[in-house]
Amino acid sequence: MKRIPIEKLLIEHPQKVLVLDGGQGTELENRGININSPVWSAAPFVSDSFWEKSSRERKVVEEMYRDFMNAGANVLMTITYQANFKSISKNTTIKTLPAYRRFLDQIVCFSRRLIGEERYLIGSIGPWAAHVSSEYTGNYGPHPEDIDYYEFFRPQLDTFNENEDIDLIGFETIPNFHELKAILSWGEDIISRPFYVGLSVHDNGLLRDGTTLEEISAHIKGLGSKINKNFLLLGVNCISFNQSTLILKALHEVLPDFPLLVYPNSGEIYDPKEKTWYHPTDKLDSWDVTVRKFIDSGARIIGGCCRTSPKDIAEIAASVDTYS
Ligand SMILES: [Zn+2]
């Protein structure tokens, strides 16, 4: 059955909770794909050989999507987190805007064909931070207010705006308040498809640049009726598994009527010096307990971010079935 528009689903089926896929970048890495590149998980798509049917890398990507779908994901993302025009044009042979747009459209078309018409496709857009690796510090230099965020996002945003295979545009891992304010200042002429913003927050619930959730909610409320009608969900992603239920609860408390989304990390911790992930001693809760708390805190889309695998998504899907 073909999906109904996501904005309609959120309003007309208030009990429905969707299951998102897991951490694609890290999952591809686990499956032997080299993503050690300035364009990160978009690296495999850049080589011409990816588009040949016999490509090993292409098979790995296809298998990953299938495994997430078999686990119960009904929302999948394009693997375009670090495929902004700046990174792509600087680091690959794709240099012009038309070539870049063809490249993104090719990825979207490939993803849609794999997931079918009944599932939702998110067009993933990483933050300005992604091309300077400051997603977890929110450090945007001395004048974050002077950065031209629109210029940065526009090529990727316009391509997704115009591609009907995209159901929802996802601004992921946003760590800086100036960037958030810029995104939320854009009207329907600039973001013309449904979209969400996933915030990158510390374990204590502050945005990576120190902004409180109260300040964020005050800003959103202050926009009043000027807010873009396509802004459907706010959430948090790539955050600590153990703190994620408290963080979402805090967000729900300051924005009780806003549909939320949440996709935390697996519970493993990244060591930026060693560039490896290590297993922390213990996960505080199971996915089952965590998902139940997420739903109680207004979550409408639940999935996993870095290091979460199809196994995590299967556990999430089972709990979503039980509690929603
Ligand atoms: Zn992540």
Side-chain angles (χ1 to χ4, degrees):
M1 204 178 64
K2 195 174 163 158
R3 65 205 182 280
I4 61 170
I6 191 134
E7 60 276 25
K8 207 166 160 197
L9 178 121
L10 289 173
I11 294 169
E12 293 179 9
H13 301 270
Q15 301 307 321
K16 179 81 184 157
V17 176
L18 296 169
V19 178
L20 177 66
D21 58 12
Q24 299 168 325
T26 50
E27 183 64 17
L28 286 179
E29 193 171 33
N30 276 343
R31 293 173 186 230
I33 300 285
N34 183 6
I35 55 161
N36 190 2
S37 146
V39 298
W40 198 51
S41 56
F45 298 99
V46 171
S47 76
D48 283 343
S49 62
F50 180 89
W51 301 102
E52 288 159 21
K53 282 246 151 48
S54 59
S55 155
R56 179 192 75 88
E57 298 200 323
R58 181 175 163 140
K59 283 206 180 79
V60 173
V61 175
E62 288 172 351
E63 262 166 37
M64 178 186 77
Y65 270 112
R66 270 187 216 114
D67 289 348
F68 279 132
M69 291 188 286
N70 288 336
N74 41 26
V75 185
L76 289 298
M77 284 199 183
T78 59
I79 307 172
T80 50
Y81 179 81
Q82 212 144 310
N84 56 76
F85 183 59
K86 203 175 167 88
S87 294
I88 293 285
S89 59
K90 184 164 167 234
N91 299 294
T92 77
T93 55
I94 301 162
K95 300 288 181 200
T96 67
L97 209 49
Y100 170 74
R101 294 186 60 137
R102 276 198 301 278
F103 169 71
L104 277 189
D105 279 334
Q106 202 172 13
I107 297 176
V108 172
C109 176
F110 164 81
S111 317
R112 170 57 71 196
R113 215 177 283 161
L114 271 176
I115 72 167
E117 291 298 326
E118 73 272 29
R119 295 188 181 81
Y120 293 96
L121 185 62
I122 291 176
S124 156
I125 301 186
W128 185 87
H131 83 287
V132 286
S133 300
S134 55
E135 291 110 306
Y136 309 104
T137 62
N139 185 350
Y140 278 29
H143 295 292
E145 68 281 8
D146 290 344
I147 295 172
D148 191 340
Y149 297 103
Y150 185 44
E151 187 201 17
F152 174 76
F153 285 117
R154 188 176 183 172
Q156 199 171 8
L157 188 53
D158 282 351
T159 312
F160 289 159
N161 274 334
E162 286 163 35
N163 193 317
E164 298 211 330
D165 279 328
I166 297 291
D167 297 298
L168 185 64
I169 292 171
F171 292 94
E172 301 189 82
T173 334
I174 300 292
N176 186 288
F177 195 33
H178 293 281
E179 183 175 35
L180 175 68
K181 286 192 286 191
I183 294 169
L184 297 182
S185 72
W186 300 332
E188 290 86 5
D189 53 332
I190 294 184
I191 314 179
S192 56
R193 244 172 229 290
F195 74 98
Y196 73 79
V197 179
L199 304 172
S200 172
V201 306
H202 290 286
D203 290 8
N204 61 7
L206 294 179
L207 195 68
R208 301 285 178 180
D209 71 355
T211 308
T212 64
L213 295 181
E214 286 77 12
E215 288 172 277
I216 291 173
S217 113
H219 179 75
I220 292 174
K221 288 177 186 156
L223 290 170
S225 60
K226 286 201 306 260
I227 201 144
N228 188 321
K229 308 280 173 295
N230 294 313
F231 179 39
L232 297 190
L233 302 121
L234 178 67
V236 281
N237 78 280
C238 215
I239 57 167
S240 149
F241 177 87
N242 281 349
Q243 301 307 317
S244 59
T245 54
L246 287 176
I247 292 171
L248 197 75
K249 187 165 181 271
L251 191 59
H252 187 49
E253 272 163 12
V254 293
L255 285 167
D257 302 322
F258 213 83
L260 301 182
L261 97 168
V262 54
Y263 49 113
N265 291 338
S266 65
E268 290 157 276
I269 313 267
Y270 189 63
D271 179 341
K273 277 206 199 94
E274 299 292 325
K275 294 198 168 172
T276 50
W277 294 84
Y278 63 92
H279 279 278
T281 40
D282 33 53
K283 271 191 170 183
L284 284 182
D285 280 327
S286 62
W287 271 117
D288 193 59
V289 172
T290 302
V291 166
R292 184 172 51 72
K293 291 184 182 172
F294 285 162
I295 294 174
D296 287 346
S297 296
R300 303 297 309 276
I301 301 183
I302 301 174
C305 205
C306 293
R307 300 289 283 187
T308 58
S309 65
K311 186 175 167 289
D312 297 287
I313 300 308
E315 290 177 34
I316 293 171
S319 311
V320 163
D321 260 358
T322 312
Y323 303 117
S324 70

